[in-house]
Amino acid sequence: SNLDAKLRESVRVELRSIQQQMGLTTIYVTHDQQEALSMSDSIIIMKDGYLHQQGGPHDIYFEPRTPFVADFIGESNILPGRMVRDERVAFAGREFVCVDRGIGEDVPVDVVVRPEDVRIVEAEAGMLSGTVTTVTFKGVHYEMVVTADDGYEWLVQSTAMTPAGAAVGMTIGPNEIHVMKRVES
């Protein structure tokens, strides 16, 4: 953890290479999400002694089972919603086509949309509309906060920068909408 970023990445790659070449099973405990995704064949996400999810890095990232996992592994837009029926979910004041099935009809859900899966388009062409409120350059991409007309603040990541104050539309594809049955606490 005390290595500079480039050396830390180099050590990660070397450790992963040694692990694979020697066929070693290792347990690696980390709070660094990127490290967990890049170093693992299988990940276990725990909180307060409770196992939230176990699976491969791809499954953990793209198919989180709880809002905690979705938020812990990467950044996420997590919104309350309602499963209308198979492949149809309502959130942010409208219905969207999704790929989720078997959750039920008229069921409360949490909807996860990753920031890299929200595309900014012309305001009139979007499924949702809002105003870019902040823009941060992150090196590989820009991170923008878009305050939607309903007040929700969407985190959006894109290689194209849209300036603060711009009125924009946002589109989200069916494969980019992940629906989880809401677990009441």
Side-chain angles (χ1 to χ4, degrees):
S1 66
N2 291 327
L3 303 176
D4 67 67
K6 284 186 177 184
L7 184 55
R8 186 174 177 152
E9 179 60 29
S10 176
V11 170
R12 261 190 230 159
V13 169
E14 188 62 28
L15 283 172
R16 183 72 172 146
S17 176
I18 292 168
Q19 176 194 26
Q20 290 175 329
Q21 287 174 7
M22 300 191 74
L24 297 173
T25 298
T26 56
I27 296 175
Y28 191 85
V29 178
T30 183
H31 291 90
D32 183 317
Q33 295 84 352
Q34 296 307 314
E35 196 164 74
L37 291 170
S38 66
M39 297 279 298
S40 304
D41 295 317
S42 180
I43 297 173
I44 295 173
I45 306 285
M46 295 184 73
K47 179 183 177 198
D48 299 328
Y50 174 73
L51 175 75
H52 277 257
Q53 188 168 347
Q54 178 178 355
H58 188 271
D59 294 333
I60 296 284
Y61 187 81
F62 289 108
E63 296 293 329
R65 291 192 192 130
T66 68
F68 172 74
V69 173
D71 196 45
F72 184 76
I73 290 289
E75 297 172 295
S76 297
N77 296 290
I78 303 173
L79 299 96
R82 185 159 294 284
M83 195 71 189
V84 177
R85 63 179 181 278
D86 283 351
E87 299 177 358
R88 210 68 187 164
V89 64
F91 65 95
R94 62 162 290 168
E95 281 189 22
F96 292 83
V97 175
C98 63
V99 297
D100 295 276
R101 302 181 58 76
I103 293 174
E105 291 188 14
D106 198 33
V107 175
V109 295
D110 288 310
V111 178
V112 176
V113 179
R114 296 287 186 186
E116 65 270 20
D117 292 332
V118 180
R119 287 173 296 292
I120 291 182
V121 296
E122 296 293 323
E124 59 279 354
M127 301 168 151
L128 301 166
S129 58
T131 303
V132 177
T133 52
T134 64
V135 179
T136 306
F137 179 61
K138 295 282 191 140
V140 176
H141 63 270
Y142 293 91
E143 192 167 272
M144 295 164 278
V145 174
V146 177
T147 301
D149 294 341
D150 68 356
Y152 183 79
E153 291 187 338
W154 286 84
L155 184 61
V156 180
Q157 295 171 344
S158 175
T159 56
M161 190 274 289
T162 302
V168 298
M170 295 176 284
T171 63
I172 309 162
N175 287 321
E176 281 80 42
I177 297 169
H178 177 69
V179 180
M180 300 177 292
K181 196 169 192 176
R182 185 169 303 142
V183 177
E184 301 298 331
S185 40

